């Protein structure tokens, strides 16, 4: 999807590039050769770079966030759009979506990466999750029982993050493992503590003093 000379000023007088540049979500467009040809202001701000630093080169050589690059590479093998929540250095959470750009004839002509800052949204989810779980604890008992299941160190880590309201994707990013690995651990964890849902698991954790402090 290499942009012909003058497109941004000629065709660009249409609202296309102005609209892309003004998106609240970050957007990066890559041509068939893998070179970045457009980065809007929101994407540059999220990734801590300037558009000039990124444009004209391969995405892999122009941004520093390993978790974004790992997602970008893994999404390349998928036929349709792929989304995941990624935790950037410093704790900011973004929802990344990678997709293939197609011509009217259905021919791949590039790729797009959209980034949305969902840090505030996730913090609200954490507070709601903890509030619900705490209420369940209050309804069941005033006592604080000990840990009554033989959990591995990794299972305890995952239980703590789950109690903090993190999604499977966010847990995977925090622990540097795959989402499938997290799902497998949760399956065994649920069986050990005899629950069948995330809310029940969160209640179990908080009732036993296992929680992730909100920063």
């Amino acid at each position: 999807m290499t942009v012909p000379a003058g497109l941004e000023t000629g065709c660009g007088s249409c609202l296309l590039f102005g609209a892309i540049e003004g998106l609240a979500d970050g957007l990066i467009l890559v041509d068939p050769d893998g070179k970045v040809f457009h980065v809007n202001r929101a994407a540059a701000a999220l990734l801590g770079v300037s558009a000039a630093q990124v444009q004209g080169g391969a995405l892999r050589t122009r941004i520093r966030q390993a978790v974004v690059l790992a997602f970008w590479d893994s999404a390349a093998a998928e036929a349709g759009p792929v989304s995941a929540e990624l935790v950037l250095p410093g704790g900011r959470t973004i929802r990344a979506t990678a997709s293939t750009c197609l011509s009217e004839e259905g021919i791949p002509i590039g790729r797009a990466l959209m980034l949305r800052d969902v840090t505030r949204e996730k913090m609200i989810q954490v507070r709601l999750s903890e509030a619900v779980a705490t209420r369940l604890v209050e309804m069941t008992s005033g006592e604080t029982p000990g840990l009554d299941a033989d959990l591995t160190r990794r299972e305890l880590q995952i239980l703590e993050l789950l109690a903090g309201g993190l999604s499977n994707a966010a847990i995977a990013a925090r622990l540097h493992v795959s989402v499938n690995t997290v799902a497998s651990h949760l399956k065994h964890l649920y069986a050990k503590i005899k629950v069948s849902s995330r809310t029940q698991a969160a209640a179990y954790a908080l009732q036993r003093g296992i929680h992730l402090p909100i920063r």
Side-chain angles (χ1 to χ4, degrees):
M1 198 192 294
T2 302
V3 182
L7 178 59
E8 292 194 37
T9 54
C11 173
S13 61
C14 73
L15 300 179
L16 176 60
F17 278 93
I20 289 175
E21 187 59 34
L23 282 175
D25 291 339
L27 182 64
I28 298 175
L29 300 176
V30 177
D31 69 19
D33 295 325
K35 293 183 178 180
V36 177
F37 73 83
H38 190 83
V39 181
N40 73 349
R41 286 188 293 267
L46 279 173
L47 298 176
V49 296
S50 68
Q53 288 176 310
V54 180
Q55 289 179 176
L59 191 66
R60 169 161 293 284
T61 65
R62 299 302 172 98
I63 65 173
R64 298 183 297 273
Q65 287 81 354
V67 66
V68 176
L69 294 175
F71 167 74
W72 178 250
D73 290 343
S74 64
E78 303 295 331
V82 179
S83 295
E85 286 182 3
L86 310 175
V87 180
L88 298 180
R92 175 178 286 181
T93 302
I94 61 172
R95 181 174 297 116
T97 301
S99 59
T100 300
C101 303
L102 303 175
S103 68
E104 292 182 0
E105 294 77 23
I107 300 172
I109 54 175
R111 295 179 68 198
L113 176 63
M114 182 168 281
L115 307 170
R116 172 176 293 182
D117 188 341
V118 294
T119 305
R120 178 176 172 78
E121 176 184 325
K122 295 305 296 181
M123 292 302 292
I124 292 173
Q125 290 177 5
V126 167
R127 293 189 179 99
L128 288 175
S129 176
E130 288 199 343
V132 170
T134 300
R135 180 56 181 157
L136 286 175
V137 170
E138 291 171 351
M139 292 171 64
T140 55
S141 172
E143 300 179 355
T144 302
L147 189 62
D148 54 1
D150 184 19
L151 303 182
T152 66
R153 178 175 175 275
R154 180 63 88 190
E155 287 168 345
L156 281 171
Q157 285 180 313
I158 290 176
L159 183 59
E160 179 184 76
L161 294 170
L162 181 150
L166 275 69
S167 67
N168 283 12
I171 292 173
R174 184 74 66 90
L175 299 179
H176 305 292
V177 298
S178 71
V179 174
N180 288 339
T181 297
V182 172
S184 177
H185 280 304
L186 285 175
K187 180 180 178 180
H188 292 105
L189 174 61
Y190 285 2
K192 285 184 177 182
I193 64 177
K194 298 180 174 58
V195 301
S196 58
S197 71
R198 299 180 74 85
T199 300
Q200 290 174 352
Y204 174 94
L206 292 176
Q207 191 176 23
R208 287 157 178 80
I210 301 169
H211 60 88
L212 181 68
I214 299 176
R215 295 185 178 89

